[in-house]
Amino acid sequence: MMITAMSRVVGWGHQLLGEVLRAGDFAIDLTAGNGYDTLMLARAVGENGSVLAFDLQSQAIEKSANRLQQEAVAVHLVDGPGLPLPSSGVSLVSASHAELDAWCDLAPRAIIANLGYLPGGDKGLITKPESTLVALQTGCDILMPGGRIAIVVYSGHPGGRDEAQAVDHFFANLNEREFEVLRLEVANRPQAPFLLIAGKIE
Ligand SMILES: C[S@@+](CC[C@H](N)C(=O)[O-])C[C@H]1O[C@@H](n2cnc3c(N)ncnc32)[C@H](O)[C@@H]1O
């Protein structure tokens, strides 16, 4: 099957976050994985901006660190919550995104998450609705007015459907006076990943 850029919803997520991100901003990646989304955020905020990126798997932290360093992005492996985060570059955190509130006292202008399993890694280690929903709620609370949160959701793997329903429900119930919410999907491919993006009204 031919998949063109039009139906790659990850790219639309990058574009819609890139529209609001400025040099010097702070942004968050809830699922660093292979580092592609973190790299996009790091490029958008520039060398004076900062990114906080989470992943549970050491393999993902290593892959992300390598990718970022190859692209000359400053990387910090951060040990524990409660300390001030580096004011520039990417801080990689080996922890669950459910702990976001303990790690972050800055308001991000953009938050991204690409759910599911690590491509090329353990397909049994997936994001779970319980922790995803905690991270999304914290993310929506701390997001800067005018900022956006973009989530790519997969329903095709075991466990994916339950998480997709939970995340859909979460976004559909965001207060319309506080958030505008967009859902982008490939209408003729029901198993394809879809994008949910919420913009916090100023
Ligand atoms: C689809 S991958 C992310 C892809 C990544 N954004 C990229 O650009 O390559 C999903 C990642 O979520 C991670 N993950 C699963 N549960 C998590 C949790 N509770 N907190 C943080 N990361 C988690 C997995 O380890 C996996 O690396």
Side-chain angles (χ1 to χ4, degrees):
M1 186 193 318
M2 173 82 170
I3 299 179
T4 70
M6 191 180 87
S7 56
R8 280 197 195 99
V9 295
V10 174
W12 289 108
H14 287 188
Q15 186 169 322
L16 289 163
L17 294 187
E19 278 178 12
V20 295
L21 277 171
R22 303 170 197 164
D25 273 349
F26 171 57
I28 296 175
D29 187 351
L30 296 172
T31 57
N34 288 317
Y36 292 105
D37 297 324
T38 310
L39 177 59
M40 173 269 156
L41 295 176
R43 284 182 173 148
V45 302
E47 58 187 0
N48 295 322
S50 59
V51 178
L52 174 63
F54 291 84
D55 207 291
L56 278 181
Q57 295 190 65
S58 53
Q59 187 191 353
I61 296 292
E62 274 165 37
K63 287 201 163 195
S64 295
N66 289 342
R67 183 168 318 285
L68 294 161
Q69 281 160 347
Q70 275 165 16
E71 298 293 329
V73 175
V75 174
H76 315 277
L77 299 176
V78 185
D79 268 347
L83 301 170
L85 292 170
S87 59
S88 62
V90 173
S91 296
L92 286 173
V93 171
S94 211
S96 171
H97 45 223
E99 296 172 29
L100 173 60
D101 63 343
W103 284 88
C104 185
D105 58 2
L106 279 176
R109 202 187 304 273
I111 302 176
I112 199 164
N114 203 322
L115 303 179
Y117 56 82
L118 178 67
D122 179 356
K123 291 190 177 176
L125 209 161
I126 56 171
T127 51
K128 303 258 174 65
E130 309 81 67
S131 42
T132 301
L133 292 182
V134 173
L136 291 181
Q137 185 59 62
T138 307
C140 285
D141 292 343
I142 65 175
L143 191 67
M144 187 184 272
R148 292 179 180 169
I149 178 165
I151 314 295
V152 175
V153 188
Y154 301 78
S155 59
H157 60 279
R161 204 159 149 240
D162 288 348
E163 185 176 46
Q165 282 173 350
V167 173
D168 248 342
H169 184 260
F170 176 89
F171 276 85
N173 284 287
L174 285 174
N175 187 326
E176 67 180 297
R177 286 189 294 277
E178 289 177 64
F179 289 94
E180 47 182 1
V181 180
L182 184 77
R183 189 183 195 280
L184 185 63
E185 64 184 347
V186 184
N188 60 351
R189 206 150 40 86
Q191 295 284 300
F194 61 91
L195 174 72
L196 283 159
I197 180 153
K200 198 169 200 171
I201 295 168
E202 288 182 277

